[in-house]
Amino acid sequence: MFTNQIHSQNKKKKMNTIQPPVAKIVPKKLEKHGNVRTDNYYWLNERENPEVIDYLNKENDYYNLSTVHTKEFQNNLFLEMKSRIKEDDSTVPYLYNGYWYITRFETGKDYPIYSRKKGSLDAKEEIMFDCNEMAKGQSYFNLSGINISEDNKYAAFGVDLVSRRQYTIQIKNLETGEILPVKIENTTGGSTWASDNKTLFYTRKDPQTLRSDKVYKHKLGNDTSKDEMIFHEKDDTFYTFIYKEKSKKYLIIGSTSTLTSEYQILEANNPDGNFRIFQPRVRELEYSISYYEGNFYIVTNADKATNFKLMKTAENATSKENWNDLIPHRKDVLIEGIEIFKDYLVIEERSNGLNKIQIKPWNGSGDYYLPFNSETYTCYTTSNVDFNTEILRYGYQSMATPSSVIDFNMKTKEKTILKEQEVLGGNFNKNNYTEERIWATAHDGTKIPMSIVYRNGMKKDGKNPLLLYAYGSYGSSMDPYFSSTRLSLLDRGFIYAIAHIRGGEDLGRDWYENGKLLKKKNTFTDFIDCSKYLIAEKYTSNKHLYAEGGSAGGLLMGAIVNMAPELYNGVIAQVPFVDVVTTMLDDSIPLTTGEYDEWGNPNEKKYYDYMLSYSPYDQVKEQDYPNMYVSTGLHDSQVQYWEPAKWVAKLRVMKTNNKQLFLDTNMDAGHGGASGRFEALKELAKEFAFLFDLENIKK
């Protein structure tokens, strides 16, 4: 105990001798609706300004010097987490159009190898892409959107070397190994082949806002300058994309915003024909379409079906007045999606916050659900690209159970576990951990579920360190999942919890609707109420409670440290969206216009006032703040680096205590962090070391 006190005192002395950088103040007046805000750090958005780069580097230096005593521990954590991962791993092969496709990793290598085998898994391996070779000399590398022509000869693929999600599409001849001299810049990375094997459709982005807004058609052998634009999505609140549905009969152009959908269809064997509207867009009408034997199946919220329903229409009569109910709306069941097979319809549902998978034979021989017993599980359909099969492939995991890939015979109801995630090292046993589903009561009486996991034998004495994670935006459900890296927390006495707060879709569509726009603050107060419940029930205390969130979850972190800083000893905010008002007023920034339906349009005063009342950057005030670790990427296209940079700069001069405040900027990466499967572990090791240092856990 005495040694720990000396260590703690020495650490404080060291921290006090290292002075954090102070960003210069350049006041900028921002006026809207008669309200004037002064932004002292607006200048930090000048990405090319050497002073900005210098400031970010100084923040990095401050973080590195302040945490130098944890560097060895960080490295040990990295090696520990890496040691649990099977390095020479591979995905479960799947059969598509006569070939088995496999993604595998080799020992000591960061990037995947994409390969295939013709006809049989015993056939010779054809390596399509070795990303380890392709990534040589690059500080960032990401390959995306591999798309094989129907004759199996060509593979289109996208490459991003910057981490701004602007991909260059190229084409490889899989028979000769030649990469064609085709480079299509500034795309989403995805593409789709027509049935003629020579026409490739793809989507380009607006170079400034990065909104995917134009669909093009490329003919093999032609210069890309001759590519024809076949659709331009001019509404800047929508983005567009193109794909081929599972039966391969139709090419489909989609246009979606937060609240509205529209699709266009064209026979894949007629690539030079004209796409036709499936159902014209109607504000707040959402739908998605799947094709099967002369009919389209539509998952939609039509007719006030808040939790969505399944409808059906003939392929030659696709407008809404022709749609007929197949599975009607249910108040307590959310339909999340469907999979169509030759003999079966599979429906993914969610009720009471849990995933369910329903099987419906087309011949009417009896519907049934896959059986699941746990209360903290996640199940989901995976690679089901084969239309003519009785096998449904799905995934299953829980907070204590590693993820499994399972083949289920929908006719015989037999299941085969093809693969369970291996946790190497010989120390892991899922029976050593306890999983719980607990419910906190929000300020308005709503019950908020939490999924929680910890090592057996935990005592509710308020002394346990606990990391509470949440997201809570865009209707994204945060399902309980297994993580081998999380074991580094659990095995050192941490409790890990996920708060399923409003703003996600965990308990249905209403759960989302009650955590967005003018009800956004429910997201923040739900998290705070979950925190208070965990403290009241003595899972932890405010001396040992930690919070974590990224992107829109980083907004959540920014809000809770303003609203209830006394509840947390430490907070991790990854690529946080914290300058809500300024960003949402700038329609040149990627994503802004497409997000009006999520946050509101601040050009309207009621939304401006509401956003301003919670925007973390605007609401920073003179008060004590928890210890904070904030991370970002210089090239982030989702949340611009200057949001966390400005936020930290303002916190430095406003906070009234001397607790830790770190800004750690990856100067080579973007929203998803570092590329390469092991580089990401180094970033995670930094976060864990931050927590362990605060808990005085040294190894």
Side-chain angles (χ1 to χ4, degrees):
M1 182 69 177
F2 182 66
T3 309
N4 286 348
Q5 284 179 339
I6 292 174
H7 170 80
S8 181
Q9 288 167 1
N10 288 341
K11 189 171 72 178
K12 284 178 181 174
K13 284 179 184 175
K14 195 162 192 176
M15 283 288 296
N16 289 337
T17 61
I18 304 167
Q19 295 302 312
V22 177
K24 73 175 182 179
I25 291 175
V26 183
K28 182 177 178 65
K29 302 288 185 186
L30 301 170
E31 183 174 354
K32 192 73 178 178
H33 304 300
N35 174 259
V36 178
R37 294 176 298 136
T38 300
D39 188 344
N40 289 331
Y41 306 104
Y42 189 88
W43 67 276
L44 284 172
N45 72 355
E46 300 167 11
R47 192 192 308 269
E48 307 302 324
N49 184 341
E51 281 190 84
V52 171
I53 301 301
D54 182 59
Y55 171 71
L56 296 176
N57 284 326
K58 283 178 178 174
E59 282 284 5
N60 282 351
D61 291 343
Y62 172 69
Y63 162 69
N64 287 318
L65 284 169
S66 300
T67 58
V68 69
H69 61 284
T70 72
K71 295 303 180 187
E72 183 179 354
F73 192 11
Q74 283 183 37
N75 188 55
N76 291 339
L77 284 168
F78 165 73
L79 294 173
E80 175 182 298
M81 291 187 286
K82 184 181 176 186
S83 72
R84 296 194 194 103
I85 297 172
K86 191 171 188 288
E87 290 201 45
D88 56 341
D89 203 4
S90 63
T91 59
V92 177
Y94 66 87
L95 182 66
Y96 178 68
N97 199 22
Y99 280 82
W100 288 94
Y101 287 88
I102 305 157
T103 304
R104 61 181 177 84
F105 288 90
E106 292 183 349
T107 301
K109 294 184 178 179
D110 256 333
Y111 294 95
I113 296 168
Y114 296 96
S115 66
R116 66 179 186 173
K117 296 182 178 183
K118 187 174 182 178
S120 164
L121 287 171
D122 296 324
K124 181 183 176 184
E125 180 187 50
E126 299 176 26
I127 293 179
M128 299 187 296
F129 303 100
D130 183 345
C131 294
N132 300 287
E133 291 298 317
M134 299 170 75
K136 282 183 177 176
Q138 305 294 341
S139 58
Y140 179 89
F141 178 85
N142 183 255
L143 183 143
S144 176
I146 297 173
N147 173 42
I148 311 295
S149 59
E150 288 185 23
D151 62 1
N152 293 310
K153 181 177 180 179
Y154 294 105
F157 62 99
V159 171
D160 176 10
L161 301 178
V162 179
S163 186
R164 274 185 72 76
R165 303 187 184 184
Q166 290 172 286
Y167 291 85
T168 299
I169 289 178
Q170 297 177 263
I171 300 170
K172 183 173 183 177
N173 184 324
L174 297 175
E175 294 177 356
T176 66
E178 175 196 10
I179 292 181
L180 306 184
V182 173
K183 286 196 173 184
I184 306 171
E185 308 283 351
N186 191 34
T187 76
T188 61
S191 60
T192 192
W193 292 96
S195 299
D196 64 357
N197 303 302
K198 63 182 181 182
T199 306
L200 183 72
F201 293 87
Y202 62 90
T203 311
R204 272 207 164 111
K205 293 187 169 188
D206 180 286
Q208 183 169 12
T209 66
L210 303 190
R211 180 174 69 93
S212 54
D213 62 345
K214 297 183 181 76
V215 178
Y216 282 83
K217 177 169 62 178
H218 174 75
K219 296 283 188 180
L220 277 184
N222 286 357
D223 190 274
T224 56
S225 63
K226 296 181 180 177
D227 289 0
E228 178 187 353
M229 184 178 74
I230 58 167
F231 176 65
H232 181 194
E233 177 52 73
K234 294 179 180 178
D235 186 328
D236 62 7
T237 66
F238 281 72
Y239 67 93
T240 190
F241 50 92
I242 184 165
Y243 66 100
K244 186 160 48 183
E245 50 80 26
K246 191 169 173 179
S247 79
K248 303 180 190 174
K249 180 172 182 179
Y250 285 101
L251 297 162
I252 300 176
I253 293 175
S255 291
T256 61
S257 70
T258 306
L259 296 175
T260 310
S261 326
E262 181 182 76
Y263 291 89
Q264 303 173 54
I265 60 174
L266 175 67
E267 286 74 12
N269 62 5
N270 181 28
D272 295 325
N274 295 317
F275 281 80
R276 52 195 183 272
I277 298 285
F278 187 91
Q279 156 62 35
R281 66 188 69 180
V282 175
R283 181 162 172 79
E284 299 189 15
L285 173 65
E286 297 178 66
Y287 69 95
S288 59
I289 57 178
S290 303
Y291 176 75
Y292 171 66
E293 288 195 351
N295 294 294
F296 278 97
Y297 292 79
I298 307 140
V299 177
T300 180
N301 67 347
D303 311 316
K304 299 183 180 178
T306 308
N307 274 335
F308 292 79
K309 61 180 177 177
L310 183 62
M311 304 184 79
K312 175 182 175 181
T313 193
E315 63 183 318
N316 57 359
T318 61
S319 55
K320 182 176 174 293
E321 64 268 17
N322 299 295
W323 300 357
N324 296 300
D325 280 9
L326 190 63
I327 299 177
H329 178 252
R330 291 160 291 173
K331 188 176 180 182
D332 58 346
V333 179
L334 173 71
I335 294 181
E336 295 194 311
I338 62 172
E339 289 273 7
I340 285 185
F341 298 87
K342 183 173 180 291
D343 296 318
Y344 298 90
L345 170 66
V346 177
I347 305 106
E348 291 188 273
E349 301 176 352
R350 182 184 294 273
S351 61
N352 200 30
L354 295 174
N355 307 116
K356 294 183 178 177
I357 297 177
Q358 184 184 16
I359 314 292
K360 287 178 75 76
W362 291 118
N363 65 12
S365 61
D367 309 345
Y368 60 94
Y369 285 89
L370 297 186
F372 301 111
N373 300 318
S374 170
E375 273 204 331
T376 58
Y377 72 89
T378 300
C379 67
Y380 42 89
T381 62
T382 61
S383 303
N384 290 286
V385 294
D386 191 357
F387 184 70
N388 299 298
T389 181
E390 296 173 343
I391 303 298
L392 170 71
R393 180 166 292 180
Y394 71 93
Y396 176 89
Q397 59 185 304
S398 76
M399 294 184 81
T401 306
S403 62
S404 299
V405 178
I406 299 161
D407 270 2
F408 179 80
N409 189 306
M410 293 180 280
K411 184 176 182 180
T412 66
K413 301 185 182 178
E414 295 174 310
K415 74 174 186 179
T416 305
I417 298 176
L418 301 175
K419 180 179 181 179
E420 181 171 288
Q421 176 187 349
E422 290 186 60
V423 182
L424 302 185
N427 297 319
F428 173 72
N429 181 342
K430 62 186 176 185
N431 296 317
N432 290 337
Y433 304 89
T434 299
E435 300 175 271
E436 289 184 47
R437 196 169 192 236
I438 58 178
W439 299 76
T441 303
H443 67 286
D444 60 0
T446 303
K447 297 290 186 182
I448 312 297
M450 286 182 277
S451 300
I452 190 166
V453 63
Y454 50 84
R455 274 195 76 99
N456 298 345
M458 183 271 293
K459 295 179 182 177
K460 290 187 184 179
D461 57 8
K463 297 178 182 178
N464 306 296
L466 187 151
L467 179 60
L468 181 62
Y469 175 84
Y471 185 70
S473 289
Y474 302 107
S476 293
S477 299
M478 203 48 59
D479 292 316
Y481 65 98
F482 180 80
S483 165
S484 68
T485 57
R486 190 190 297 142
L487 299 174
S488 293
L489 289 174
L490 301 181
D491 292 346
R492 288 177 174 84
F494 264 77
I495 299 170
Y496 184 86
I498 300 172
H500 305 288
I501 53 181
R502 283 175 283 187
E505 215 165 58
D506 306 67
L507 269 73
R509 183 69 174 201
D510 283 340
W511 205 248
Y512 171 40
E513 298 293 340
N514 285 312
K516 63 187 282 199
L517 295 173
L518 298 175
K519 296 180 180 178
K520 188 63 209 170
K521 288 183 185 177
N522 283 337
T523 302
F524 316 139
T525 54
D526 282 359
F527 191 90
I528 289 168
D529 290 332
C530 286
S531 302
K532 289 177 177 177
Y533 179 85
L534 292 166
I535 292 169
E537 294 297 312
K538 297 197 172 178
Y539 284 92
T540 189
S541 67
N542 61 352
K543 293 179 181 177
H544 300 287
L545 178 58
Y546 301 91
E548 177 189 18
S551 195
L555 162 64
L556 169 65
M557 295 300 102
I560 63 160
V561 296
N562 285 334
M563 296 166 70
E566 71 283 355
L567 294 179
Y568 309 97
N569 188 37
V571 169
I572 296 171
Q574 305 145 328
V575 292
F577 171 43
V578 284
D579 190 12
V580 182
V581 178
T582 305
T583 290
M584 292 304 297
L585 281 169
D586 186 350
D587 60 14
S588 71
I589 293 176
L591 303 184
T592 293
T593 55
E595 308 230 331
Y596 290 155
D597 288 332
E598 178 72 24
W599 313 103
N601 183 347
N603 292 297
E604 297 179 41
K605 189 174 187 302
K606 67 175 180 178
Y607 291 114
Y608 176 89
D609 291 343
Y610 189 76
M611 282 180 191
L612 188 60
S613 73
Y614 69 74
S615 173
Y617 181 61
D618 293 287
Q619 292 302 320
V620 170
K621 49 185 171 283
E622 290 189 11
Q623 64 177 6
D624 287 357
Y625 280 89
N627 297 287
M628 296 172 65
Y629 173 81
V630 182
S631 60
T632 188
L634 181 63
H635 301 292
D636 198 327
S637 62
Q638 312 296 105
V639 177
Q640 307 299 318
Y641 73 88
W642 59 77
E643 292 200 36
K646 288 165 51 176
W647 183 45
V648 168
K650 189 173 183 180
L651 281 165
R652 286 222 184 280
V653 299
M654 296 291 283
K655 71 188 188 81
T656 53
N657 58 358
N658 62 355
K659 288 192 173 180
Q660 297 175 8
L661 174 59
F662 299 132
L663 174 66
D664 185 15
T665 304
N666 187 324
M667 304 301 279
D668 295 318
H671 198 64
S675 65
R677 56 178 174 158
F678 299 130
E679 286 304 308
L681 294 182
K682 293 177 182 175
E683 297 184 350
L684 194 56
K686 290 179 177 182
E687 296 174 2
F688 285 5
F690 169 74
L691 298 174
F692 293 142
D693 196 39
L694 293 173
E695 283 292 317
N696 213 10
I697 296 171
K698 300 192 209 56
K699 63 180 183 178

